Amino acid sequence: MSSQITTPAAQAAASGDGVLPTRARRRGLLREHPEYLLVPLLFVVVVGVWEAVIRFFEVPIYLFPAPSDIFWALVDRLGSGLYIEHGLHTLSEALLGFLCAAVAGITLGSVIAQFRLVEKTLYPYLIAIQTTPKVAIAPLFIMWFGFGMTSKVIIAAIVAFFPILVNVIAGLRSTDVQRIELMQSLRASKWQIFYMVRLPSALPMIFAGLQIAIIFAILGAIVGEFVGSNAGLGNLILQMNFNLDTAGVFGALVCLSAMGITLHVVMLRIQRRLLFWADESKVTEV
Amino acid sequence: MQRAKIMPLERPGPAAGGASAIRLDELEKVYETRDGKRIQALGPLSLDITEGEFVSIVGPSGCGKSTLLRLLAGLMDLTSGRVLIRDRAIAGPQKDIGMVFQSPVLLPWKTALDNVLLPAKVLGLDMAASRRRADELLAMVGLADFHEKYPNELSGGMQQRVAIARALVHEPSILLMDEPFGALDAMTRETMNLELRRIWRESGRTIVFVTHSIPEAVFLGTRVLVLSPRPGRIADLVEVDLPAERDLDTMASDRFGQFSRRIRSQFKSQGGLE
Ligand SMILES: Nc1ncnc2c1ncn2[C@@H]1O[C@H](COP(=O)(O)OP(=O)(O)OP(=O)(O)O)[C@@H](O)[C@H]1O
Ligand SMILES: [Mg+2]
């Protein structure tokens, strides 16, 4: 770096260590990422209008709480540990269900993609099951496995299973023919081709499936709790709804979406770490 | 570029000659397209390649060069005729063959070194020895400092050089190369030509080498096979009796020019474009 030619890019890089006043730097950042301003701005506007409308029309709190009511409900129930206790319950159900679905989906998907006959035999049944709304069979599982955690784990697993299965099969199918030919030219066994080439090649698609599945697993757990349970955020929402504690319901919803976002981000992190070689994650890493 | 020690194979070298390495017997390939049409891509084609020979193949685009190599590698079914490797008709890939495809086909989740080591892994070779060999080969292709790089951090030409190292790591006695140097710049290409020629002379491998470059074909080959436009048949088979010791000056010689001209005119009369 001994050359003295200073490009605009180099100047911008140099300004990083405080050559320009901070305000100018901040303005540059906002020009590049106006969403950093717009996203919080939208939040403030929506919350402000919501609060104003509720106050102005004097809407009763049990019908539609104002943001401030929700905020205080949230602080209150987080402080007492209510949301956390039930949230952890739901989270455990969803994660356990997700894990079962991932193991089953990847295993069965691999078998199906590997053996034509298995696929042809199972295909019509899989389609039949997939087109059935899985939540419709939730009451059966409550009947069979009771109000405890097991039934919810199973429902979460079933709901999360299909997006994984479908993506595993599609991913394993779409392996670049040339990579397979390379392995064949070395007289690799079917098993070697599978674990050395097909499975890693399919990982980006499998991860896309897992990404959907983890959100589905929360959905499955909540639906299961609605149908029959003695704990969990779904159970809490029903109770609060019954008691006309609408602000509490909204608070629980906030907790649920926080859970969803956290899981999504964690999955994304793992994906970036694991699939750094895939083109798409290479672009986002820059 | 550093020189890699090349183990001589325990087979007759180019000088000894005689034994048949690859024999094509009325080989034909017809592709069946999706709408049921039949495309004759290759042949009928008969050819005898002796152990330790270096056969260059040139021919217009789409004439069936890649098809021919894939048939030799046992990667697809032939339509009629036979491919014999060491006098045995093949039905599927052979153990002792190294293949360089037209594109690098590296595994993006493996480092350059691990990509080179792939054949050793698949074939269950001794990993410590293969690792040393891979080091030498990467140095030979000028990538000594790129062991731990991933394919998406390498240029196209670098990727292709990794693929060349990979094809050599298990010391195959037959090497099939499909336009391996197409993505390289002129300078690197010359170096790679010299290296390949040296590897061939030191190891006595049989090499079948597809290229678009007539000078490259003449410089490297003991024979140059000129294919006709599709379906690829033998348009000319040129014995290149240049001295075995060839260097970049060889390309400037009159004899070299004569061979190049002969092949180019054959190419033109077949309606091929260079
Ligand atoms: N899988 C396939 N199905 C149908 N036709 C094919 C298939 N592969 C190749 N062909 C046809 O066979 C012919 C020979 O193809 P091939 O790839 O062997 O040509 P090539 O000589 O290697 O060409 P290039 O120099 O451009 O690489 C082409 O005309 C192509 O259209
Ligand atoms: Mg080709």
Side-chain angles (χ1 to χ4, degrees):
Chain A
M1 290 299 279
S2 56
S3 98
Q4 288 303 306
I5 304 161
T6 319
T7 61
Q11 272 172 353
S15 73
D17 20 66
V19 178
L20 290 176
T22 42
R23 200 188 298 165
R25 234 195 299 164
R26 204 174 295 149
R27 215 179 287 144
L29 182 73
L30 283 181
R31 194 166 306 140
E32 239 175 85
H33 296 281
E35 69 273 17
Y36 288 2
L37 180 67
L38 293 178
V39 170
L41 193 68
L42 181 66
F43 180 80
V44 170
V45 168
V46 168
V47 166
V49 169
W50 178 356
E51 185 83 36
V53 168
I54 301 284
R55 299 258 172 255
F56 184 78
F57 294 102
E58 292 177 356
V59 180
I61 185 168
Y62 62 84
L63 205 60
F64 210 114
S68 56
D69 301 327
I70 298 169
F71 177 78
W72 290 118
L74 204 56
V75 169
D76 199 31
R77 273 63 182 270
L78 278 174
S80 72
L82 187 72
Y83 282 151
I84 294 175
E85 182 196 326
H86 288 275
L88 285 179
H89 190 84
T90 304
L91 182 66
S92 319
E93 292 167 350
L95 281 183
L96 278 173
F98 171 76
L99 278 182
C100 297
V103 171
I106 293 174
T107 312
L108 186 63
S110 304
V111 173
I112 287 178
Q114 204 74 342
F115 303 105
R116 276 265 160 208
L117 188 64
V118 178
E119 187 197 1
K120 284 186 182 152
T121 312
L122 291 185
Y123 196 69
Y125 296 104
L126 290 175
I127 292 294
I129 300 174
Q130 208 200 345
T131 45
T132 314
K134 258 73 65 186
V135 292
I137 47 178
L140 288 176
F141 286 95
I142 303 294
M143 184 175 78
W144 292 332
F145 298 97
F147 283 70
M149 232 170 152
T150 318
S151 53
K152 263 64 78 183
V153 172
I154 294 176
I155 295 165
I158 290 177
V159 177
F161 172 69
F162 281 92
I164 300 177
L165 182 75
V166 170
N167 278 45
V168 169
I169 295 174
L172 289 173
R173 275 286 152 68
S174 61
T175 321
D176 182 2
V177 194
Q178 297 199 72
R179 288 182 190 163
I180 293 177
E181 283 195 336
L182 166 71
M183 293 298 279
Q184 285 172 341
S185 80
L186 295 165
R187 301 216 304 182
S189 66
K190 247 191 145 183
W191 169 241
Q192 282 178 320
I193 295 179
F194 175 76
Y195 80 88
M196 292 171 100
V197 168
R198 274 185 185 277
L199 193 58
S201 296
L203 277 182
M205 279 202 79
I206 294 178
F207 257 92
L210 293 175
Q211 201 68 263
I212 302 169
I214 202 149
I215 302 303
F216 273 32
I218 301 179
L219 178 91
I222 293 293
V223 168
E225 286 170 3
F226 279 174
V227 177
S229 64
N230 41 35
L233 284 176
N235 179 278
L236 195 63
I237 287 175
L238 282 191
Q239 280 181 41
M240 290 173 156
N241 216 21
F242 187 74
N243 297 329
L244 295 183
D245 179 4
T246 316
V249 172
F250 273 87
L253 288 178
V254 172
C255 292
L256 266 180
S257 70
M259 188 192 295
I261 291 169
T262 310
L263 289 180
H264 180 76
V265 170
V266 168
M267 286 292 294
L268 215 59
R269 280 281 159 83
I270 298 176
Q271 181 173 0
R272 291 252 171 88
R273 184 61 63 83
L274 225 58
L275 302 183
F276 59 90
W277 48 267
D279 290 330
E280 160 241 20
S281 55
K282 182 179 119 192
V283 173
T284 47
E285 229 168 29
V286 173
Chain B
M1 285 181 197
Q2 193 183 315
R3 299 192 131 210
K5 283 188 288 300
I6 303 295
M7 319 292 158
L9 298 167
E10 289 171 25
R11 277 196 202 81
S20 160
I22 303 171
R23 178 177 297 149
L24 311 181
D25 187 9
E26 296 288 312
L27 178 62
E28 256 182 290
K29 176 67 192 181
V30 177
Y31 283 110
E32 198 107 23
T33 58
R34 232 175 276 267
D35 49 1
K37 271 204 215 108
R38 291 163 61 83
I39 296 178
Q40 169 112 19
L42 190 73
L45 198 143
S46 296
L47 182 69
D48 220 328
I49 299 175
T50 317
E51 200 81 57
E53 238 194 301
F54 194 130
V55 176
S56 306
I57 301 178
V58 292
S61 180
C63 75
K65 303 182 294 295
S66 297
T67 303
L68 175 57
L69 279 206
R70 287 150 49 92
L71 289 170
L72 293 184
L75 286 174
M76 67 186 173
D77 294 331
L78 40 81
T79 309
S80 70
R82 288 191 305 170
V83 175
L84 296 102
I85 303 237
R86 308 224 164 78
D87 295 318
R88 255 203 244 128
I90 62 163
Q94 303 297 297
K95 212 191 303 182
D96 209 17
I97 287 184
M99 177 112 185
V100 182
F101 294 87
Q102 201 163 351
S103 56
V105 201
L106 301 181
L107 303 181
W109 55 87
K110 284 183 183 284
T111 59
L113 179 65
D114 285 336
N115 267 291
V116 173
L117 284 172
L118 182 78
K121 269 232 179 79
V122 173
L123 296 167
L125 305 181
D126 172 47
M127 282 320 273
S130 302
R131 171 78 223 245
R132 281 195 298 278
R133 173 112 184 107
D135 284 341
E136 290 173 0
L137 287 167
L138 278 170
M140 181 195 85
V141 297
L143 295 175
D145 299 331
F146 294 86
H147 280 55
E148 299 307 320
K149 294 281 187 221
Y150 287 87
N152 64 12
E153 301 167 300
L154 300 175
S155 73
M158 287 163 135
Q159 292 182 22
Q160 191 62 9
R161 283 184 274 157
V162 173
I164 291 165
R166 179 181 60 195
L168 289 167
V169 77
H170 53 302
E171 315 243 8
S173 66
I174 295 178
L175 198 53
L176 307 175
M177 308 180 87
D178 195 352
E179 295 185 40
F181 304 148
L184 304 184
D185 63 278
M187 289 292 286
T188 315
R189 193 163 181 161
E190 276 180 359
T191 318
M192 294 302 297
N193 280 344
L194 290 170
E195 280 300 325
L196 183 61
R197 176 103 191 138
R198 187 178 65 77
I199 290 171
W200 171 73
R201 289 196 65 200
E202 288 178 12
S203 68
R205 281 190 177 75
T206 307
I207 299 184
V208 181
F209 182 92
V210 171
T211 176
H212 269 144
S213 156
I214 293 175
E216 188 172 86
V218 175
F219 179 75
L220 288 171
T222 50
R223 281 196 288 172
V224 179
L225 171 64
V226 185
L227 288 179
S228 65
R230 205 187 74 207
R233 297 194 180 127
I234 299 183
D236 200 0
L237 193 54
V238 183
E239 191 88 31
V240 184
D241 52 0
L242 289 168
E245 199 69 54
R246 299 178 194 175
D247 53 27
L248 294 178
D249 293 334
T250 313
M251 293 210 203
S253 72
D254 282 345
R255 296 276 298 145
F256 189 90
Q258 281 166 16
F259 284 118
S260 299
R261 272 194 299 280
R262 167 166 168 197
I263 291 163
R264 189 164 289 121
S265 69
Q266 192 53 250
F267 220 102
K268 282 224 182 84
S269 69
Q270 292 288 334
L273 301 170
E274 168 64 336

